[in-house]
């Protein structure tokens, strides 16, 4: 691993922070493999934050989660390069997520949450140094002014369950509109349009500035990337365009835990252990005896991943399609693609089953049945499908709530938990994971002694 060129320099204050503000891209030369690996490590952090937020974790739980995610994923073999990895990974993902409004919104929210929790871990002196870097025009409240309002400040502190401010407490006087979350939560004293922000609350003030700067920077990055994409179409563009859909979990290219399923068992396991996306495709295939290309790819690679051998796969698909197009046409037009997915034709690549990110990103057309039902089904159809899986009305409402907020993987996780009566703390990130976890639960119920 090699990084060459000018190193990032911390500001020359008496007290400095290791938390960058990412105001400008560093003058560094980065190897292409590090460009991608650093970004993937940071993406694991951001996706972990997203999962924590969508699960409704409390602030103290989020603080621990962010700290653990950062320590696990943002390490470097050279301690001196940790801060470089931090900055490089941020700017790579800024390129990745600047391209659409939806991507920008997600990245802005996750990076702001990450910054907030990292800022809280800084010392008071380091926090003040960061405030100085933002050039915030706020001064600490004078002793005389503090004395005149300390009773009011004490009332606010008591109302939010905090200890009373001491004589040496530091408060900043800021326009109330610059700390909207504190105002909304009634956690500050307001007088004549100004909010009196305690030192332990300045994170809200700094985060507002950070979010504003990053939001503007993402727009500018998008304009610059759009103007330079042609120059990078063969080098960076493929990485940038696929990173946001990257699957970062275990490798499911080969069946491991439940090594084989047979044709005679397939209907049973489809009903008991297929996630909704695959169950829907399987049922449509049984009903129509045909699937378009997208459906064949999604379901075919999944069946391969859960252990359906090539000969059985050919027999399974032939039995269905021959009812619609005839066995001869199946052998001429469809059998090749099945062998191709198993690495027996063409470039002989051993293709990997689609991850949740991949499935969610698909856009089915008219007559298609692939993609993610939680994203693409109408509310009526989704409710009917969930009812068919055996979900009670309360569980259906919980799933629908996550769907409305676009937390599709969490909706699938709640479905899994409702169907199996077991928790899934890691969340569902891959259809094969759903299948494997389902089989584990069912086996433990059938063989409790084990």
């Amino acid at each position: 691993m090699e990084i060459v060129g000018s190193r990032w320099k911390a500001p020359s204050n008496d007290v400095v922070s290791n938390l960058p503000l990412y105001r400008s891209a560093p003058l560094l030369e980065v190897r292409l493999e590090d460009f991608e690996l650093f970004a993937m490590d940071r993406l694991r952090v951001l996706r972990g934050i997203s999962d924590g937020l969508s699960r409704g974790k409390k602030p103290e739980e989020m603080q621990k989660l962010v700290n653990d995610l950062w320590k696990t994923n943002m390490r470097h073999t050279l301690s001196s390069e940790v801060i470089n990895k931090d900055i490089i990974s941020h700017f790579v993902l800024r390129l990745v997520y600047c391209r659409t409004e939806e991507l920008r919104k997600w990245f802005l929210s996750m990076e702001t949450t990450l910054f907030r929790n990292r800022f809280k871990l800084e010392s008071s002196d380091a926090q003040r140094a960061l405030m100085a870097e933002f050039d915030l025009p706020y001064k600490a409240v004078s002793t005389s002014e503090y004395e005149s309002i300390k009773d009011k400040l004490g009332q606010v502190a008591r109302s939010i369950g905090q200890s009373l401010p001491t004589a040496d407490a530091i408060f900043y006087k800021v326009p109330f509109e610059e700390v909207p979350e504190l105002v909304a939560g009634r956690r500050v004293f307001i007088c004549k349009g100004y909010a009196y922000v305690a030192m332990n609350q300045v994170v809200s003030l700094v985060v507002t500035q950070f979010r504003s700067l990053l939001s503007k920077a993402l727009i500018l990055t998008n304009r610059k990337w759009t103007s330079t994409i042609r120059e990078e179409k063969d080098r960076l563009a493929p990485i940038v365009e696929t990173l946001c859909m990257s699957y970062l979990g275990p490798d499911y290219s080969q069946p491991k835990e439940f090594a084989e399923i047979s044709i005679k068992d397939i209907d049973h396991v489809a009903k008991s252990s297929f996630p909704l996306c695959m169950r829907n495709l399987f049922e449509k295939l049984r009903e129509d005896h045909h699937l378009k290309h997208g459906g064949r790819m999604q379901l075919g690679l999944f069946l391969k991943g859960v252990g359906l051998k090539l000969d059985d796969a050919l027999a399974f698909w032939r039995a269905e399609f021959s009812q619609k197009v005839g066995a001869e046409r199946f052998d001429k037009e469809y059998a090749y693609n099945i062998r191709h997915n198993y690495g027996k034709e063409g470039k002989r690549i051993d293709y990997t089953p689609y991850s949740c990110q991949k499935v969610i990103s698909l856009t089915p057309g008219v007559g298609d049945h692939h993609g993610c039902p939680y994203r693409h089904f109408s509310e009526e159809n989704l409710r009917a499908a969930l009812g068919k899986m055996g979900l009670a009305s309360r569980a259906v409402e919980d799933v629908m709530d996550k769907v409305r907020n676009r937390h599709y993987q969490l909706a699938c996780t709640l479905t899994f938990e409702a169907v199996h009566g077991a928790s899934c703390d890691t969340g569902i990130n891959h259809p094969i994971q759903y299948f494997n976890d389902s089989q584990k639960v069912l086996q433990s119920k059938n063989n409790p002694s084990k």
Side-chain angles (χ1 to χ4, degrees), residues 103-120:
L103 291 176
R104 288 194 294 270
K105 183 178 179 181
W106 184 87
F107 181 71
L108 182 62
S109 178
M110 297 309 110
E111 280 286 341
T112 300
T113 303
L114 174 60
F115 181 86
R116 175 193 301 279
N117 286 278
R118 292 181 68 194
F119 182 87
K120 288 180 180 179

Side-chain angles (χ1 to χ4, degrees), residues 86-104:
D86 179 3
I87 297 170
I88 290 166
S89 62
H90 170 87
F91 278 95
V92 175
L93 290 186
R94 189 184 287 191
L95 268 182
V96 172
Y97 283 89
C98 75
R99 295 172 298 127
T100 69
E101 184 177 353
E102 184 177 357
L103 291 176
R104 288 194 294 270

Side-chain angles (χ1 to χ4, degrees), residues 131-338:
M131 291 178 68
E133 283 196 60
F134 275 116
D135 296 325
L136 299 178
Y138 314 123
K139 293 183 179 179
V141 173
S142 65
T143 303
S144 60
E145 187 173 6
Y146 170 77
E147 288 295 328
S148 69
I149 60 171
K150 70 176 183 180
D151 290 341
K152 298 290 187 181
L153 297 176
Q155 290 176 19
V156 173
R158 281 193 295 271
S159 71
I160 59 177
Q162 293 186 351
S163 57
L164 297 178
T166 58
D168 59 349
I170 298 175
F171 282 83
Y172 292 90
K173 183 178 178 180
V174 306
F176 78 92
E177 64 269 19
E178 297 196 14
V179 284
E181 62 179 37
L182 293 179
V183 175
R186 298 185 177 185
R187 289 181 284 150
V188 286
F189 170 59
I190 300 176
C191 182
K192 297 180 180 179
Y194 286 93
Y196 290 79
V197 181
M199 188 63 213
N200 63 4
Q201 295 175 316
V202 296
V203 61
S204 296
L205 189 60
V206 175
V207 163
T208 299
Q209 298 294 322
F210 176 83
R211 186 183 182 91
S212 176
L213 290 173
L214 181 55
S215 180
K216 294 173 184 175
L218 284 168
I219 300 296
L220 293 174
T221 304
N222 180 48
R223 292 174 186 169
K224 291 180 180 178
W225 176 247
T226 302
S227 64
T228 59
I229 189 170
R230 291 182 180 178
E231 301 169 19
E232 296 289 353
K233 66 178 182 178
D234 296 323
R235 194 172 67 111
L236 295 184
I239 297 175
V240 168
E241 290 169 1
T242 58
L243 253 175
C244 63
M245 293 187 295
S246 296
Y247 170 66
L248 305 174
D251 177 17
Y252 291 114
S253 58
Q254 292 292 333
K256 292 181 177 127
E257 296 181 68
F258 303 95
E260 188 172 344
I261 63 171
S262 63
I263 295 179
K264 66 182 178 63
D265 297 328
I266 199 168
D267 285 278
H268 173 70
V269 295
K271 187 175 182 179
S272 65
S273 296
F274 280 19
L276 182 54
C277 56
M278 302 304 171
R279 180 169 170 156
N280 174 59
L281 284 168
F282 185 83
E283 290 176 351
K284 290 298 180 183
L285 176 61
R286 286 298 202 203
E287 180 182 327
D288 300 336
H289 310 296
H290 190 272
L291 286 175
K292 290 188 175 182
H293 178 72
R296 297 197 303 274
M297 288 294 292
Q298 183 175 314
L299 179 60
L301 290 174
F302 172 79
L303 292 175
K304 172 193 169 190
V306 299
L308 190 66
K309 301 302 182 185
L310 175 57
D311 289 344
D312 283 346
L314 285 167
F316 167 73
W317 289 97
R318 182 182 288 109
E320 290 299 326
F321 270 56
S322 62
Q323 298 180 55
K324 189 80 172 269
V325 302
E328 185 177 349
R329 184 178 169 191
F330 172 84
D331 290 336
K332 286 183 177 180
E333 298 183 18
Y334 299 100
Y336 176 89
N337 285 336
I338 295 169

